[in-house]
Amino acid sequence: MIFLRALGLILCFVFAASSTARAGEVELRTIVAEFATAKNFKETEEVARRLADTGEPAVERALTALTQGDLYVRKADRRVLIGREAGQMIDLSDPLTGEADGTAGKADVTKIKVNNGLRRALRDMLGTMTLSSSDAATRLAAARPMFRNPDASAISALDAAIAREEAGEVKKALQEARAAAVLRSDMPESDKLAAVGIVGARGDRDALSLLAAFEAGASGASKEAAATAIAGVNSRLALWSAAQNVWYGISLGSVLLLAAIGLAITFGVMGVINMAHGEMVMLGAYTTFVVQNVVRTSFPGLFDWSLAIALPLAFIVAGGAGLVIERGIIRFLYGRPLETLLATWGVSLVLQQAVRTIFGPTNREVGNPSWMSGGFELGHMTVTWNRLWIVVFALAVFTILLYVMKQTRWGLQMRAVTANRRMAASMGIRTPWVDALTFALGSGIAGVAGVALSQIDNVSPNLGQGYIIDSFMVVVFGGVGNLWGTLVGALSLGVVNKFLEPHTGAVLGKILVLVLIILFIQKRPRGLFAPKGRAVEV
């Protein structure tokens, strides 16, 4: 008997709950139906606001469709439905449940029109509704736009959301959104002074714009507080701008390091001015293009690994080309720097024309893997993943090369030839093969640099020409043949360039850097880290 009573109570509760749900759905459908009778944008907004005020998650679908211009009235029965164009027909679905409700011709439905003002109001309504979402990320995504587009009418909703919010980051965003709304309201001055402090503490450009607009219409203590907050925000932004320039400089320096480090080795060991070094970079970039084309057509699932596949191939292609150039041309021109310069310049023209003939003169697209796409915010500065990975890659190449030079037999032989070629030869070191393998190594590293540069620059036959002059400046400034000098020189020139560019422009900035290097080598002809050895003292 007790069991039957309990079962009866449960059934009554379920029936009551289902009845309440049906009653709620009927109320929502009644409000949605009023869109069909709204005569202007104002009436449409009033209906949408009544719908949003219910707080029911089901209405988000209808409001989102209205925002996107996808809400229609079917002429046959005056029902309001969501419509998606499919050729000449429109697929219809229920505005609350999303269930399909057939199709209709464009002449059989009437679109509910919206304008920009109504869209902004709808976005605010949707944002206010999502403040009560169970997902913290959704609440945060709803709070952030409310700071950029403050609305005094949302203060009460924000107060309620702040009171129940437990996630620290979301609560902070809600408080900032409320402060922005207070600055647009007619609340007492004490509230506005507190809001100025919160907005000023945020310290970004959105806060600066909001404070500037508030200051223009404020007076007395509010105006003074806004002016003080604006000065603080400007100082903070100036520091972050300097930090952003330093990051851009490090990023540019890492690119210069990749392009110049191979040249530093060949120039230091062999004394060869290789004007075709930029074309080795170009060969590496085109190798990446070919690899990605093969992966896209034959192994699309491996696209994120395309750069890892391209790295050894680019090293082999560019290194092999360098070995052929050294054995076929340069070894006959040692001790004649002018002839070497002209010969390698001719080789660079030949390689450029060969690439134009094979791949065409236009830029080629090289895609970013997913792990190199996008970026993230660090304070008030932006860091892109492709630049960050290139910095890491450049430092990895530098570390590996430093190990080869300092800890391997081949590196010892290269350093011996750099210090005193004749003494190294008399000790049994085969200097011609050291020269050949060194040139191949420098060219291979340039090819690897081309893989990285393909992610941030246009892949074209002229790719290498944009880096050859900068590479020589890095090598001369840092010290011929010195890896640490190349690292310091590349990062220094990168940072100086980025600090000069906003004031002088890119071209004049490079000219000023060149002038500074010329003045520097007047005092230190061998660069920052002068090579040591008896041969270099001669």
Side-chain angles (χ1 to χ4, degrees):
M1 190 68 179
I2 296 174
F3 173 75
L4 292 176
R5 287 179 180 176
L7 182 61
L9 288 173
I10 293 172
L11 290 174
C12 288
F13 175 78
V14 171
F15 178 77
S18 62
S19 299
T20 303
R22 283 197 298 272
E25 183 179 344
V26 170
E27 180 186 358
L28 294 180
R29 292 193 180 280
T30 302
I31 299 173
V32 169
E34 293 181 17
F35 281 121
T37 58
K39 298 177 181 178
N40 51 46
F41 296 127
K42 184 178 180 181
E43 290 185 6
T44 302
E45 181 179 345
E46 289 174 356
V47 175
R49 197 167 295 281
R50 286 176 54 204
L51 201 60
D53 289 342
T54 64
E56 293 291 336
V59 306
E60 289 184 27
R61 180 179 283 105
L63 293 178
T64 301
L66 180 59
T67 305
Q68 297 170 346
D70 291 332
L71 208 59
Y72 292 82
V73 178
R74 187 161 55 190
K75 295 178 181 179
D77 55 6
R78 304 299 295 170
R79 278 193 64 194
V80 176
L81 299 164
I82 295 174
R84 310 287 184 191
E85 291 189 10
Q88 297 300 315
M89 303 298 288
I90 295 178
D91 294 330
L92 301 175
S93 60
D94 189 274
L96 297 179
T97 64
E99 295 178 0
D101 199 342
T103 59
K106 293 182 179 180
D108 299 326
V109 293
T110 302
K111 178 182 283 191
I112 300 174
K113 295 181 180 180
V114 293
N115 60 7
N116 290 334
L118 179 54
R119 285 192 183 92
R120 283 193 295 270
L122 288 166
R123 291 191 190 101
D124 291 340
M125 294 176 206
L126 287 166
T128 303
M129 287 185 62
T130 51
L131 291 178
S132 58
S133 170
S134 59
D135 181 38
T138 303
R139 298 196 301 274
L140 183 61
R144 283 174 173 166
M146 296 180 75
F147 179 85
R148 292 189 290 269
N149 302 292
D151 182 5
S153 63
I155 292 176
S156 58
L158 286 167
D159 285 334
I162 291 170
R164 64 174 177 267
E165 186 58 59
E166 296 180 356
E169 185 181 7
V170 180
K171 191 165 190 173
K172 182 182 177 182
L174 290 170
Q175 290 169 341
E176 291 171 347
R178 183 189 184 279
V182 168
L183 294 183
R184 294 286 179 89
S185 71
D186 56 359
M187 294 182 71
E189 187 174 48
S190 58
D191 291 332
K192 292 187 177 181
L193 289 174
V196 166
I198 294 173
V199 174
R202 178 182 170 111
D204 61 1
R205 297 196 179 278
D206 289 333
L208 186 63
S209 300
L210 191 61
L211 288 170
F214 174 72
E215 184 196 23
S219 60
S222 296
K223 191 175 185 70
E224 292 177 6
T228 303
I230 288 172
V233 172
N234 280 327
S235 298
R236 198 174 300 117
L237 288 177
L239 291 175
W240 279 109
S241 178
Q244 184 79 73
N245 280 334
V246 170
W247 165 247
Y248 286 152
I250 292 173
S251 176
L252 175 60
S254 66
V255 171
L256 294 179
L257 176 64
L258 284 172
I261 197 167
L263 186 63
I265 297 172
T266 56
F267 196 18
V269 174
M270 304 163 62
V272 171
I273 303 174
N274 181 18
M275 295 300 294
H277 185 78
E279 279 55 52
M280 301 298 107
V281 175
M282 175 195 69
L283 289 178
Y286 273 99
T287 302
T288 309
F289 167 71
V290 172
V291 168
Q292 284 201 350
N293 270 2
V294 172
V295 169
R296 279 194 182 102
T297 55
S298 303
F299 311 98
L302 295 178
F303 184 79
D304 279 351
W305 292 91
S306 59
L307 294 189
I309 298 170
L311 281 173
L313 294 178
F315 183 87
I316 292 170
V317 170
L323 184 64
V324 170
I325 292 169
E326 197 281 335
R327 289 287 85 190
I329 299 173
I330 293 176
R331 72 187 178 104
F332 301 110
L333 300 175
Y334 286 128
R336 291 183 283 175
L338 182 59
E339 285 89 339
T340 305
L341 187 150
L342 291 174
T344 53
W345 181 55
V347 169
S348 73
L349 296 179
V350 170
L351 289 175
Q352 287 181 44
Q353 192 56 47
V355 168
R356 284 192 183 94
T357 302
I358 297 171
F359 297 101
T362 57
N363 295 340
R364 293 294 180 174
E365 178 189 358
V366 174
N368 291 100
S370 60
W371 48 274
M372 288 187 75
S373 302
F376 61 93
E377 296 291 328
L378 183 63
H380 296 304
M381 58 184 282
T382 302
V383 179
T384 56
W385 284 112
N386 59 351
R387 292 279 182 176
L388 181 60
W389 280 114
I390 288 174
V391 171
V392 173
F393 178 66
L395 294 177
V397 170
F398 175 82
T399 303
I400 293 170
L401 197 54
L402 196 65
Y403 175 82
V404 170
M405 294 290 288
K406 299 293 185 181
Q407 302 296 327
T408 65
R409 180 180 179 83
W410 183 30
L412 178 64
Q413 292 180 352
M414 279 195 289
R415 287 187 287 124
V417 172
T418 302
N420 194 317
R421 176 178 292 273
R422 284 178 294 179
M423 182 61 73
S426 67
M427 296 296 293
I429 295 175
R430 300 176 64 185
T431 56
W433 277 108
V434 171
D435 290 337
L437 295 178
T438 299
F439 198 88
L441 175 64
S443 299
I445 293 172
V448 169
V451 177
L453 293 179
S454 69
Q455 300 299 296
I456 59 173
D457 207 342
N458 295 323
V459 177
S460 70
N462 299 320
L463 172 64
Q465 295 300 302
Y467 295 96
I468 185 66
I469 303 300
D470 288 337
S471 298
F472 274 111
M473 286 198 297
V474 167
V475 171
V476 172
F477 177 62
V480 175
N482 191 294
L483 294 183
W484 286 107
T486 305
L487 174 66
V488 174
L491 295 180
S492 300
L493 293 183
V495 172
V496 170
N497 262 315
K498 287 302 176 182
F499 272 97
L500 287 176
E501 279 181 9
H503 307 288
T504 62
V507 176
L508 185 57
K510 285 186 179 294
I511 294 173
L512 287 176
V513 169
L514 178 59
V515 171
L516 291 174
I517 290 176
I518 292 172
L519 294 175
F520 176 79
I521 62 176
Q522 294 296 315
K523 296 293 184 182
R524 293 181 64 91
R526 294 174 188 160
L528 282 173
F529 297 83
K532 297 178 181 180
R534 293 180 182 177
V536 298
E537 303 294 336
V538 179

